Amino acid sequence: MAVTLPAELLVQYQRFSLYNSPYPAHDEGCAIDLYPGTLRDGRTSDAPSPVSGTVRETRAVTAPPKPYAPEHDYLILVDCDGPGDLEGLTARILHVEPAVESGDRVERGDSLGELVRAGFFAPWVDNHLHVGLRRPDQNPHRASGSLPLALGIDLRPLEWDGTGTVASTGETYAVLDAPTHPDPGESFVGVRADNGRVLDGGLPHYDGGGLHWRAGAGSETSGDEELEDGTTPVCLNGDRLGVARGRTITWDDVVVTVNGEPITGLSLFCARDAAFGAKLICPDRPLEVGQRVRVRVRPSLER
């Protein structure tokens, strides 16, 4: 059974993703990345705790070697007493240099320390906390093995026709002015697939992605029932992205194009901030602010 992340946990953050990662800990939506803000370029910020409880342990861990990142990341384990169904579970938190230690009591929202950018980050990824949840009888140090997560909030799917104007850029990415968040600071939104679900993941630069849907009564079971008859094609503006089993998508062999030219991919996530817009991963094809673009997804053989 999935563990439901309650609204009071999620609304502390500007953005989140269950699938937008290359690491197996996110397989089947078993971990969540929580973004306190859109922080880039190595800047640090306080990391608000997603849970309340007692710190069990903190330790440094070796990160993948990257020329732009330190060699160490950090693991913080918190034995949870809330919020909601998280009581009795252990939270496994990465990407925070701890300002807490074993035995400390933390409340939800308390600072755990400062966000860090270690070698687990691709250069286009914003600062965030990686969070997984384990039962008391599970090994909390293994990278894989966390429980599946569900969202205890309503998500608003935003239709997007694949067009937009470049609103901002970095060395490896560009953000469009579309789709536009209709109510910034309130509800979480995401790009709507043709089947009405919200898309999540790195298309196609990570192996797969996921689907989220309106949680009506704080549960995703209704969506699971709709998809349990097997794999289901997932499309965006008529372009096929891959197939879903349950909420997990396996991407087809596709390429994302901008004005007909291939780029690395499209970053898909959920957000509630006014800066939300389609994020294009394009380290080899710089785009300019004000440039008008059309994004399509094509089979790789048609590039």
Side-chain angles (χ1 to χ4, degrees):
M1 294 291 292
V3 177
T4 298
L5 301 175
E8 60 263 38
L9 184 159
L10 295 169
V11 298
Q12 299 179 106
Y13 306 95
Q14 295 296 306
R15 302 180 177 188
F16 68 79
S17 170
L18 272 71
Y19 286 90
N20 198 346
S21 171
Y23 296 105
H26 286 268
D27 288 353
E28 307 295 330
C30 290
I32 188 168
D33 290 337
L34 300 167
Y35 297 76
T38 54
L39 305 171
R40 305 181 184 93
D41 303 327
R43 291 187 292 130
T44 59
S45 174
D46 282 347
S49 178
V51 300
S52 60
T54 302
V55 177
R56 179 195 294 190
E57 180 184 350
T58 66
R59 62 164 64 179
V61 296
T62 302
K66 298 285 177 62
Y68 53 81
E71 64 181 21
H72 286 104
D73 203 328
Y74 300 90
L75 172 66
I76 301 175
L77 301 178
V78 180
D79 291 330
C80 306
D81 56 28
D85 294 342
L86 278 60
E87 182 177 2
L89 300 176
T90 298
R92 185 177 187 277
I93 303 168
L94 287 164
H95 314 327
V96 179
E97 184 172 2
V100 294
E101 58 186 20
S102 177
D104 284 353
R105 168 77 192 174
V106 295
E107 301 295 339
R108 178 177 55 84
D110 287 350
S111 176
L112 295 173
E114 287 196 332
L115 296 169
V116 296
R117 296 182 61 83
F120 292 106
F121 286 66
W124 53 79
V125 176
D126 292 342
N127 299 50
H128 63 270
L129 301 83
H130 166 100
V131 182
L133 293 163
R134 306 285 171 96
R135 296 187 307 270
D137 61 339
Q138 292 181 284
N139 183 342
H141 298 114
R142 292 185 57 193
S144 60
S146 291
L147 302 170
L149 302 176
L151 304 175
I153 57 169
D154 264 336
L155 289 174
R156 184 168 182 174
L158 298 184
E159 292 191 11
W160 176 50
D161 65 3
T163 65
T165 299
V166 177
S168 63
T169 63
E171 291 185 0
T172 59
Y173 65 90
V175 178
L176 304 186
D177 63 353
T180 302
H181 197 311
D183 191 19
E186 299 298 328
S187 59
F188 279 98
V189 301
V191 173
R192 179 188 183 276
D194 291 354
N195 63 5
R197 315 302 194 203
V198 169
L199 289 162
D200 184 350
L203 171 70
H205 48 287
Y206 301 145
D207 288 342
L211 295 168
H212 307 300
W213 40 84
R214 293 183 183 272
S219 168
E220 292 181 333
T221 55
S222 61
D224 285 332
E225 291 168 2
E226 292 176 20
L227 295 172
E228 69 182 4
D229 59 345
T231 59
T232 303
V234 178
C235 300
L236 176 63
N237 298 319
D239 296 340
R240 179 168 147 154
L241 311 183
V243 293
R245 183 177 297 278
R247 65 177 183 175
T248 299
I249 308 170
T250 300
W251 305 129
D252 287 347
D253 185 10
V254 296
V255 62
V256 174
T257 65
V258 172
N259 296 340
E261 298 296 327
I263 63 170
T264 296
L266 178 62
S267 182
L268 298 158
F269 50 88
C270 302
R272 63 186 187 92
D273 60 287
F276 175 75
K279 184 174 182 179
L280 311 179
I281 309 305
C282 49
D284 301 319
R285 194 170 298 280
L287 300 175
E288 297 182 358
V289 172
Q291 184 176 351
R292 186 71 179 170
V293 301
R294 178 174 178 79
V295 180
R296 299 296 303 269
V297 181
R298 298 299 194 195
S300 291
L301 295 178
E302 295 183 10
R303 282 193 295 183

